[in-house]
Amino acid sequence: MAEQMIPYTHWAYFPDEDSARACATELADYVTRVKQTVSGDAPPWLLLAGRDVSVDHMVERHAEVEAIVIRHGGDYDGGESSWLNGEPVADPMLTFQPDSD
C-alpha cells in the first residue's frame, strides 16, 4: 500500500525578521512565508513552512523542523494540516498570493 501524503504546515515565531528568514532558507524543501505578526502577545515575526509529508513519518518531520527553528532562535508552535470537504489541502496562508500592481 502506498504511503498517505498530506499537506502539513509548521508555525514558528521569531524575535526578528533576519532569524525568521535564515530559518526559512534552511527549510529549502518547504514552501515558506515570513510575515510580521499583528498580535502584541506573540513575537513579531511568523514563519510558516509547509510541504506534503508522509503520515507515517510526520513525527520525525515535526521534530526535525522544531530543531531547525530552535537553532535559529525561534519558538516552535507546532504544525497542522488543513482540510476542506474531508480532503487535506495546502494551507491557504501559504498559497495566498496578494495582487501585485
Side-chain angles (χ1 to χ4, degrees), residues 24-56:
T25 298
E26 191 167 342
L27 296 168
D29 59 338
Y30 288 78
V31 173
T32 58
R33 298 285 183 264
V34 174
K35 302 172 181 259
Q36 196 164 21
T37 63
V38 293
S39 170
D41 295 336
W45 291 94
L46 168 65
L47 167 64
L48 301 169
R51 65 173 278 183
D52 289 350
V53 296
S54 163
V55 172
D56 294 339

Side-chain angles (χ1 to χ4, degrees), residues 54-65:
S54 163
V55 172
D56 294 339
H57 298 102
M58 194 173 299
V59 172
E60 292 90 352
R61 276 293 188 179
H62 196 275
E64 175 187 17
V65 172

